[in-house]
Amino acid sequence: MGHGYSPAWRKLTIVILRPLLSGLLKRDWQGQGNVPGKGGLIIASNHISESDPLALAHFVYESGRYPVYLAKSTLFDVRFLRGVLRGTGQIPVHRDRADAALALEDAEKALVDGECLMFYPEGSCTRDPELWPMTGQTGVARMALRTGAAVVPVANWGAHELLPYKKGEQKGLAGRLKKGFHPFPRKTMKVIAGPPVDLSRYRERPLDKGTLRAATDDIMDAITGLLAELRGQRPPAERYDHHKVLEERRRAGAAAVPGPGPDGVASPDAAVSEAAERKADGS
């Protein structure tokens, strides 16, 4: 079955959201010419705020494509949102179910149908204290290599000032941000798109963990490089690994408590791509 949507619903969202976003955020956009005008496409971006999906969608739409997101399945249970999400062709993700990898199957169908999919390879808002990209999950690389879709790296900066991530680190730049929604003074949303990531050397390889990890690292390197350009700063030599940090904290907590420590529990913010990756990789 192909990927379905209603042109009327898409037009309605454009009529409502386009002027709203134009009024809410100032724009500093670069690289729109790197977004192909047709064909299955993956936009892979960093994630710094719960407000950046709409701002990125605005950038992509003005670049000539309609953005499609992978959204939590629970949002499709909300009466009004269900009609909007299904009408515009967004893809539901069942993160709490064993068949989470089906989200990737639906995404692949959409790519084959020529849609433009928006993806955050990190899986959630970054936990890096200075808001640099974290290590990426392999869902984007898997889809790109399975479908042949181009991956356009995108970096954004500024949404964290509008709405800082409420679960961010309490140190560094993240710790200095005042929590809550801050529309005034009007914030500038900086976005830059780079040329498609060259994944050609991986296309004849088996889709094992080594291949997917190497391709994912290339994608994250491209995103990080673009963000460094936007910020005018040098990124850290080693990318922040949220899962590694959580494991180290669990071990430290277990060592401080006599007897066996508690079982680790997956973060409730686990990424769409992470859930699918666990299923697909059998981990």
Side-chain angles (χ1 to χ4, degrees), residues 88-226:
T88 56
Q90 311 306 307
I91 299 172
V93 179
H94 304 278
R95 299 195 314 180
D96 58 344
R97 288 169 48 180
D99 61 353
L102 291 177
L104 287 186
E105 293 181 11
D106 291 339
E108 289 175 6
K109 292 176 184 177
L111 287 173
V112 170
D113 286 347
E115 294 284 7
C116 173
L117 264 60
M118 310 289 289
F119 238 91
Y120 293 113
E122 298 164 271
S124 69
C125 286
T126 183
R127 304 302 205 280
D128 182 276
E130 300 299 329
L131 303 186
W132 290 101
M134 302 186 292
T135 55
Q137 305 298 326
T138 60
V140 172
R142 182 185 298 275
M143 280 197 297
L145 294 174
R146 282 174 62 93
T147 65
V151 179
V152 170
V154 172
N156 77 92
W157 192 245
H160 61 295
E161 297 176 345
L162 177 70
L163 182 65
Y165 184 52
K166 59 186 177 182
K167 297 181 182 179
E169 288 285 339
Q170 300 305 305
K171 56 185 179 180
L173 175 57
R176 296 192 297 272
L177 295 172
K178 184 179 179 181
K179 304 304 179 185
F181 182 58
H182 307 286
F184 305 108
R186 197 163 162 234
K187 307 301 186 293
T188 298
M189 183 68 178
K190 297 182 178 181
V191 186
I192 182 172
V197 181
D198 183 6
L199 300 177
S200 59
R201 62 182 174 279
Y202 303 113
R203 297 202 184 278
E204 301 302 320
R205 298 187 189 180
L207 295 183
D208 55 24
K209 288 185 177 181
T211 297
L212 294 174
R213 174 48 50 198
T216 298
D217 287 345
D218 284 356
I219 294 169
M220 295 309 302
D221 285 345
I223 295 171
T224 303
L226 291 170

Side-chain angles (χ1 to χ4, degrees), residues 22-128:
S22 294
L24 181 63
L25 295 167
K26 292 185 286 186
R27 300 181 297 181
D28 181 359
W29 291 352
Q30 305 173 53
Q32 289 178 276
N34 287 317
V35 179
K38 59 182 180 179
L41 175 65
I42 295 172
I43 299 291
S45 176
N46 65 315
H47 198 6
I48 56 176
S49 165
E50 291 167 321
S51 67
D52 62 40
L54 284 177
L56 285 169
H58 191 193
F59 172 84
V60 169
Y61 174 75
E62 296 294 350
S63 300
R65 302 299 298 264
Y66 191 91
V68 173
Y69 280 94
L70 278 69
K72 296 178 184 178
S73 60
T74 53
L75 295 178
F76 287 77
D77 296 330
V78 180
R79 186 174 180 179
F80 174 72
L81 283 180
R82 178 171 60 245
V84 176
L85 293 172
R86 293 198 180 280
T88 56
Q90 311 306 307
I91 299 172
V93 179
H94 304 278
R95 299 195 314 180
D96 58 344
R97 288 169 48 180
D99 61 353
L102 291 177
L104 287 186
E105 293 181 11
D106 291 339
E108 289 175 6
K109 292 176 184 177
L111 287 173
V112 170
D113 286 347
E115 294 284 7
C116 173
L117 264 60
M118 310 289 289
F119 238 91
Y120 293 113
E122 298 164 271
S124 69
C125 286
T126 183
R127 304 302 205 280
D128 182 276

